[in-house]
Amino acid sequence: MTHGWPDDPTGAYRAYLLTAAATSASRSSWTSADGPLPTLYLSHGATQVYSDAAWIQQLADWGKRLPKPLGIVIVSAHWEDAPMRLSNPTAGTPLLYDYGGMPAEFYRLQYATPGAEWVAQAVRSLFSDQVVHEDRRGLDHGAFVPLMMMYPAADVPVIQLSIPTQHPESLIALGRRLGELRQNGILVIGSGHMTHGLPFLTREMMFEGHIPGWSSDFDAWAADALERRAVDELLDFRSRAPGMPYAHPTVDHFIPIFIALGAGDIEKHPAITRVEGYTAGFSKRSFELA
């Protein structure tokens, strides 16, 4: 192990890929008989996922539970831009390795998805009253890292949509529009991290499994609010949530949750947690919403 990384930092992922890609490719795709797809909020992690076999399996099992989508629209914490922008829709969209100082293996990873022009057009059609710009930007790690585990064959078209505002109510309204895509076999994902106090990361958190109170308290509060469908409390997370502002010194990794809440129907259906636990002291809580 060098500088905290395993000697083979992508070994768990490569071992998974040996059989997972073929299995994923053979799965049947969504049909109208499956009904609307759920919407997801997931804690995407970063490069540490590639060496974490348990986390890889959690994401893989989640993908297998869902009908294989015809397309994916994902909103990542790592792209805030207004007015709204869509990522490069061409086949083999490049990856944006938006992390630094990592072992070379992480910069050689590929995820060559099919052309997603039709998904981009489906998104634009929802916002005919607004200008939605197309960008040449590739997929950032908030998009490609979890999708490599959930859909390892890279055979589902993917479009990333920028976050145009940090205003929770506006993001819920944006999610409601995107929710219409679910009836056409398009999976809508908000990608962030349930807690993400990077400035407060310690060696004990990274290497000794320490979970700080601000992280566990925020996670427990969010889980309880989701179970009670207390959207008003979630909207007011800045002042109501314990652990703030340590859990989210910047709000970019939490606000994708409002895309998911808007695209789903939390007033009628409970949020179902699919991934939980901690990595480097940060909550991995991830859920789906019908």
Side-chain angles (χ1 to χ4, degrees):
M1 182 174 289
T2 305
H3 302 299
W5 288 105
D7 293 333
D8 187 0
T10 61
Y13 169 67
R14 288 187 291 103
Y16 162 69
L17 201 58
L18 287 175
T19 57
T23 301
S24 179
S26 67
R27 289 175 52 207
S28 57
S29 295
W30 176 93
T31 70
S32 58
D34 292 311
L37 286 168
T39 181
L40 316 184
Y41 171 80
L42 53 82
S43 296
H44 58 243
T47 50
Q48 73 271 33
V49 180
Y50 296 109
S51 58
D52 190 333
W55 197 353
I56 291 171
Q57 196 60 54
Q58 286 176 316
L59 290 168
D61 290 344
W62 193 4
K64 291 174 187 174
R65 288 190 185 101
L66 305 173
K68 188 176 181 179
L70 303 181
I72 294 171
V73 174
I74 188 165
V75 177
S76 160
H78 295 279
W79 192 15
E80 294 183 86
D81 205 348
M84 283 187 296
R85 295 182 177 273
L86 296 171
S87 63
N88 187 334
T90 58
T93 299
L95 303 186
L96 184 61
Y97 303 104
D98 52 340
Y99 37 70
M102 301 293 178
E105 291 90 334
F106 294 129
Y107 302 94
R108 293 194 286 264
L109 295 165
Q110 298 295 318
Y111 193 63
T113 51
E117 290 86 353
W118 71 271
V119 184
Q121 181 53 41
V123 173
R124 280 193 292 267
S125 70
L126 297 174
F127 298 95
S128 56
D129 59 333
Q130 300 178 34
V131 176
V132 180
H133 294 278
E134 186 174 306
D135 205 286
R136 305 315 297 169
R137 188 182 191 276
L139 304 175
D140 64 47
H141 80 265
F144 71 78
V145 168
L147 294 181
M148 289 169 82
M149 314 307 162
M150 297 181 77
Y151 303 103
D155 56 352
V156 179
V158 180
I159 279 291
Q160 189 170 342
L161 181 66
S162 71
I163 300 177
T165 177
Q166 291 189 343
H167 191 259
E169 286 88 349
S170 297
L171 292 174
I172 283 185
L174 173 59
R176 286 199 185 101
R177 289 203 188 187
L178 293 174
E180 296 179 29
L181 300 173
R182 299 165 50 214
Q183 301 179 47
N184 299 317
I186 297 176
L187 184 65
V188 178
I189 301 175
S191 175
H193 225 295
M194 189 57 76
T195 59
H196 197 254
L198 273 181
F200 311 109
L201 187 64
T202 65
R203 182 172 183 82
E204 290 75 19
M205 292 164 64
M206 280 289 293
F207 303 116
E208 298 176 17
H210 175 67
I211 301 169
W214 50 259
S215 185
S216 58
D217 289 349
F218 185 99
D219 176 66
W221 169 84
D224 176 66
L226 286 166
E227 183 177 358
R228 292 186 291 106
R229 306 175 196 175
V231 177
D232 58 332
E233 295 181 27
L234 293 165
L235 288 168
D236 198 21
F237 72 97
R238 288 178 176 89
S239 60
R240 292 202 189 194
M244 289 293 289
Y246 299 97
H248 289 285
T250 59
V251 300
D252 49 356
H253 279 71
F254 188 67
I255 57 176
I257 199 174
F258 299 114
I259 297 290
L261 294 179
D265 193 348
I266 196 167
E267 294 182 359
K268 294 182 179 179
H269 303 285
I272 301 172
T273 294
R274 293 301 189 193
V275 178
E276 55 189 326
Y278 294 82
T279 180
F282 299 162
S283 168
K284 300 188 297 184
R285 184 174 302 279
S286 305
F287 64 84
E288 69 181 65
L289 189 60

